[in-house]
C-alpha cells in the first residue's frame, strides 16, 4: 500500500491546496489592510516624531551593527582559541545570552548594570546591550562558518607557504564570508527589528515613538502600518543585497 | 637530489605510519617514485619531506642539511618546495590566475603585475591559457590538477612533491595530467611522486621506493624493481596490479 502522500491524486492536489490556503490568507490580510478606516488626520502633527524615531532606530542599529560585528569577532577568536579559559569564557557568554530573552537582558543591563556603573545614558546603554546580544548570535555564525572550511584548504595554504595569519587572511576568512553572508544578513535584520524592544527603557526609537503617538492620538493602524513599513524599508534591502551577493559568489563557493 | 633518511618514524595515535626508515638517494636521481599498497606510508613520507609535519624520531637530510623542526625553518622549507595533493588543492574563491599568483605575491614577494604574467605563462605552459579567469568549480578535475601543478612550479621549487596527483581522475584526465608531469621530468625538475600508475612510474622515475606497512620493502631502479623484484610483498603487489 502506498503512503497517503505518495498517491498520485494527493501528490497533484497538495501543492494547489497550499496555494489556495496561502491565497486566502493573503487576501484576508489585504482586505483588512485596504478596508480599514484609517485615521490619517489624527497622526497629522505627529509625523515628525515618527520620522525622528525612525532616524534614531537607523542610527542606533548602524552603530550596534558595527559594534556587534567587532564584539562577535573577538568572541569567535575566543571560541577558537588554543587557551582553554578563553574558550570557556566565550562559550559561557554565548550560552547565557542565547539562553535568556532580550527583554530580560535589557532590563538587567539598564537597571542593574548601568546603574551600578553610575551610567545614565539610555542611547549608549541601548546600543551596548543590543550589540552584546547580537554578538552572541553572530559569533555562532562566524564560528560555524570557519569550522565549515575543510581541512584540505588549510593544508593547501600551508603547502604554498602561507603563515597561519596569511592562511586566515587569504584563505579561511574570504571563504567563510561567502558562506555566512545569508545568515549574517539575517542576523543584521534581526538586530534592526530587535531594537524595537528598547522602548522598555524609554529610548525614543521608532517603536517607542509610535506607541507614544498612538496613545496621544488614538490613530491605531494609521501609526502601526507606517511603523511596519518603516522596518521593512530597512530590512528588505538587506535581504535583496544578500541575494545579489549569493548570486555573485555562486561559482566561488 | 641528495636525500638521506635516518631512522625516520611517524606515529598517529595507535597506528605507526612509518617506522625506522633508512634511505639514501643519490645526486643522480632526479625523479623518485613511491609505490606500494594504500596505507603503506607514501603520503606520510611526502608530508615529512615537504615540511608539513615533523617525524617523531630521526633526521631527514636534504642536500646535506638537516630538515628543520622549528616552525620558522619549516615555513622556509615549504616555501622552497612545491606540493600537489590528490585533490582539493585549489582555493575555490580565487580564479586560476589568482590561485597561481597569490602565493607569488604574498609568499615570494613578487609585484602584482609580475606575478600575474608569471602565472599566465605558467598556465599557458600547461595548456590553460584560456582558463585563467575561471574558478576551480568551472574547471574539470584534470584542469584543476594542472592549475595546481602550475602553481606549484611557478616559484621554481627545488623539489616538487606529488601525492597521487591523478588518483581522483578518470583515465582521460589522468593522461592529460601525467603528460604535464612527464614534461616537467624531461625539463629536469626534481620530483618525488607517490603514484599507483605503475607504467608511468617506470617510464619517468630514476628510482622506485616500495613502501609497505611503514617500511621500505625494496628500492632500486625501475627496470630492476619491476622486472626482478626480490621481496615477496613486492612480487605479490606487482602481480596483482599488473595483471589486467
Ligand atoms: N593524519 C592521520 N591520522 C591518523 N592516521 C593516519 C594519518 N595519516 C596517515 N595515517 C595512517 O598512517 C598509515 C599510512 O598512511 P599514508 O601515509 O596515508 O599511506 P599511503 O599514502 O601510502 O596510502 C595508514 O595506516 C594511515 O591510516
Ligand atoms: Mg596516500
Amino acid at each position: 500500500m502506498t503512503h497517503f502522500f505518495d498517491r498520485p491524486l494527493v501528490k497533484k492536489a497538495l501543492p494547489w491546496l497550499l496555494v489556495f490556503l496561502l491565497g486566502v490568507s493573503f487576501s484576508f490580510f489585504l482586505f483588512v489592510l485596504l478596508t480599514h478606516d484609517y485615521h490619517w488626520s489624527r497622526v497629522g502633527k505627529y509625523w515628525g516624531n515618527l520620522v525622528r524615531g525612525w532616524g534614531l532606530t537607523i542610527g542606533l542599529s548602524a552603530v550596534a551593527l558595527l559594534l556587534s560585528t567587532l564584539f562577535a569577532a573577538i568572541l569567535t577568536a575566543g571560541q577558537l582559541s588554543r587557551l582553554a579559559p578563553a574558550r570557556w569564557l566565550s562559550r559561557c557568554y554565548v550560552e547565557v545570552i542565547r539562553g535568556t530573552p532580550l527583554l530580560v537582558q535589557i532590563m538587567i543591563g539598564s537597571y542593574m548594570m548601568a546603574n551600578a556603573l553610575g551610567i545614565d545614558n539610555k542611547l549608549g546603554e541601548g546600543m551596548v546591550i543590543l550589540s552584546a546580544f547580537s554578538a552572541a548570535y553572530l559569533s555562532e555564525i562566524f564560528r560555524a562558518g570557519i569550522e565549515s572550511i575543510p581541512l584540505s584548504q588549510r593544508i593547501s595554504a600551508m603547502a604554498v607557504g602561507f603563515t597561519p595569519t596569511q592562511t586566515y587572511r587569504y584563505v579561511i576568512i574570504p571563504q567563510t564570508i561567502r558562506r555566512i553572508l545569508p545568515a549574517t544578513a539575517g542576523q543584521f535584520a534581526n538586530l534592526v527589528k530587535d531594537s524595537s524592544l528598547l522602548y522598555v527603557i524609554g529610548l525614543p526609537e521608532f517603536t517607542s515613538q509610535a506607541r507614544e503617538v498612538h496613545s496621544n492620538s488614538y490613530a491605531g493602524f494609521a501609526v502601526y502600518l507606517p511603523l511596519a513599513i518603516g522596518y521593512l524599508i530597512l530590512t528588505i534591502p538587506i535581504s535583496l543585497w544578500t541575494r545579489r551577493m549569493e548570486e555573485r559568489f555562486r561559482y566561488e563557493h | 637530489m641528495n636525500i638521506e633518511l635516518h631512522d625516520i618514524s611517524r606515529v598517529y595515535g595507535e597506528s605507526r605510519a612509518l617506522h625506522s626508515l633508512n634511505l639514501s638517494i643519490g645526486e643522480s636521481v632526479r625523479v623518485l617514485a613511491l609505490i606500494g599498497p594504500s596505507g603503506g606510508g607514501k603520503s606520510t613520507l611526502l608530508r615529512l619531506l615537504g615540511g608539513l609535519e615533523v617525524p617523531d624520531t630521526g633526521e631527514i637530510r636534504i642536500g646535506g642539511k638537516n630538515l628543520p623542526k622549528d616552525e620558522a625553518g619549516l615555513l622556509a622549507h615549504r616555501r622552497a618546495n612545491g606540493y600537489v595533493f590528490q585533490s582539493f588543492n585549489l582555493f575555490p574563491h580565487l580564479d586560476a590566475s589568482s590561485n597561481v599568483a597569490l602565493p607569488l605575491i604574498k609568499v615570494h614577494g613578487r609585484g602584482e603585475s609580475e606575478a600575474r604574467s608569471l602565472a599566465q605563462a605558467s598556465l599557458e605552459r600547461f595548456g590553460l591559457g584560456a582558463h585563467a579567469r575561471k574558478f576551480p568549480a568551472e574547471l574539470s578535475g584534470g584542469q584543476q590538477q594542472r592549475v595546481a601543478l602550475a602553481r606549484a612550479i611557478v616559484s621554481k621549487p627545488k623539489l616538487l612533491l606529488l601525492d597521487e596527483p591523478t588518483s581522483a581522475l578518470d583515465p582521460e584526465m589522468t593522461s592529460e595530467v601525467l603528460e604535464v608531469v612527464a614534461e616537467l621530468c624531461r625539463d629536469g625538475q626534481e620530483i618525488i611522486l607517490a603514484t599507483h600508475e605503475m607504467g608511468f612510474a617506470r617510464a619517468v622515475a630514476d628510482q622506485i621506493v616500495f613502501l609497505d606497512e611503514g617500511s621500505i620493502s625494496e628500492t632500486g631502479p625501475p627496470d630492476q624493481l619491476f622486472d626482478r623484484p626480490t621481496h615477496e610483498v613486492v612480487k605479490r603487489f606487482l602481480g596483482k596490479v599488473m595483471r589486467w
Side-chain angles (χ1 to χ4, degrees), chain A residues 9-204:
Chain A
L9 195 65
V10 175
K11 255 182 147 168
K12 239 190 227 154
L14 210 56
W16 288 107
L17 187 66
L18 286 176
V19 169
F20 175 74
L21 286 175
L22 282 173
V24 167
S25 326
F26 194 68
S27 312
F28 172 73
F29 185 65
L30 265 185
F31 178 78
V32 173
L33 277 181
L34 292 175
T35 58
H36 184 77
D37 182 16
Y38 292 94
H39 304 299
W40 295 116
S41 58
R42 292 192 194 167
V43 189
K45 60 180 173 180
Y46 296 110
W47 278 115
N49 297 35
L50 283 182
V51 171
R52 253 177 285 133
W54 193 59
L56 185 63
T57 288
I58 294 177
L60 163 81
S61 305
V63 173
L65 202 133
L66 286 177
L67 213 59
S68 64
T69 306
L70 196 74
F71 192 25
I74 296 171
L75 277 174
T76 308
Q79 290 207 63
L80 299 174
S81 167
R82 258 179 296 188
L83 294 175
R87 284 203 305 274
W88 296 331
L89 280 175
S90 340
R91 193 75 238 155
C92 262
Y93 178 87
V94 169
E95 293 303 337
V96 168
I97 294 285
R98 296 206 312 164
T100 53
L102 175 57
L103 199 53
V104 174
Q105 290 165 26
I106 292 173
M107 297 200 279
I108 290 179
S110 178
Y111 299 140
M112 285 174 62
M113 306 257 191
N115 258 353
L117 290 168
I119 297 168
D120 186 22
N121 176 345
K122 293 293 172 210
L123 181 59
E125 289 166 28
M127 290 194 294
V128 169
I129 295 167
L130 197 57
S131 307
F133 171 75
S134 197
Y137 290 84
L138 277 179
S139 86
E140 279 297 273
I141 296 171
F142 294 177
R143 181 190 56 78
I146 287 174
E147 285 176 349
S148 77
I149 305 299
L151 182 64
S152 60
Q153 286 294 302
R154 290 169 197 267
I155 296 175
S156 284
M158 201 176 171
V160 298
F162 284 147
T163 62
T165 313
Q166 287 177 323
T167 300
Y168 263 91
R169 168 117 189 254
Y170 302 116
V171 179
I172 309 289
I173 305 280
Q175 291 185 56
T176 303
I177 288 175
R178 285 156 171 80
R179 287 188 188 200
I180 66 173
L181 214 57
T184 305
Q187 181 52 37
F188 285 161
N190 283 342
L191 185 150
V192 173
K193 293 180 288 174
D194 290 340
S195 72
S196 64
L197 279 177
L198 290 171
Y199 82 87
V200 294
I201 56 169
L203 194 65

Side-chain angles (χ1 to χ4, degrees), chain B:
Chain B
M1 61 185 74
N2 173 359
I3 294 180
E4 284 169 66
L5 308 181
H6 293 291
D7 188 34
I8 293 296
S9 299
R10 183 77 176 103
V11 182
Y12 299 104
E14 294 285 281
S15 90
R16 291 199 297 172
L18 294 175
H19 41 115
S20 292
L21 241 55
N22 287 291
L23 180 67
S24 178
I25 305 294
E27 197 58 68
S28 63
V29 175
R30 303 206 70 84
V31 177
L32 180 70
L34 310 178
I35 64 168
S38 287
K42 302 182 292 295
S43 298
T44 305
L45 180 56
L46 282 173
R47 284 197 295 271
L48 297 181
L49 288 166
L52 295 176
E53 288 177 14
V54 288
D56 295 310
T57 69
E59 288 292 341
I60 298 174
R61 291 169 73 80
I62 299 184
K65 274 187 298 198
N66 279 348
L67 202 146
K69 287 182 177 150
D70 60 300
E71 203 29 64
L74 285 169
L75 184 66
H77 179 73
R78 292 196 287 265
R79 290 177 165 185
N81 299 303
Y83 219 120
V84 174
F85 304 95
Q86 183 174 326
S87 51
F88 308 120
N89 286 283
L90 301 180
F91 304 128
H93 62 298
L94 301 176
D95 63 23
S97 166
S98 303
N99 259 286
V100 180
L102 190 68
L104 279 178
I105 298 168
K106 303 301 175 191
V107 173
H108 302 282
R110 303 305 183 100
E112 168 85 31
S113 63
E114 189 194 2
R116 288 283 165 192
S117 60
L118 284 171
Q120 189 61 32
S122 187
L123 289 170
E124 270 163 19
R125 178 173 178 198
F126 294 162
L128 295 160
H131 303 296
R133 303 246 62 113
K134 289 192 183 164
F135 289 93
E138 299 172 280
L139 298 169
S140 74
Q143 290 168 335
Q144 291 180 28
Q145 287 302 73
R146 283 185 284 149
V147 175
L149 280 161
R151 183 176 72 187
I153 57 118
V154 75
S155 54
K156 305 223 180 311
K158 183 86 192 50
L159 257 180
L160 181 59
L161 303 159
L162 308 177
D163 191 356
E164 299 193 29
T166 62
S167 289
L169 304 177
D170 65 34
E172 196 184 337
M173 292 184 209
T174 295
S175 52
E176 92 194 22
V177 171
L178 292 182
E179 200 58 56
V180 165
V181 177
E183 187 195 317
L184 291 173
C185 294
R186 281 196 297 276
D187 289 355
Q189 172 71 50
E190 292 196 338
I191 294 176
I192 303 181
L193 161 83
T195 188
H196 286 299
E197 301 288 336
M198 296 304 149
F200 185 73
R202 181 170 191 160
V204 300
D206 304 307
Q207 184 169 342
I208 311 277
V209 169
F210 188 100
L211 274 169
D212 177 45
E213 295 188 344
S215 299
I216 297 173
S217 316
E218 189 167 343
T219 180
D223 289 342
Q224 177 194 319
L225 196 130
F226 284 109
D227 293 336
R228 300 178 298 280
T230 53
H231 201 286
E232 216 28 65
V233 174
V234 183
K235 280 185 195 164
R236 244 183 293 128
F237 178 81
L238 291 177
K240 247 192 278 175
V241 298
M242 309 290 247
R243 196 159 80 203
W244 304 109

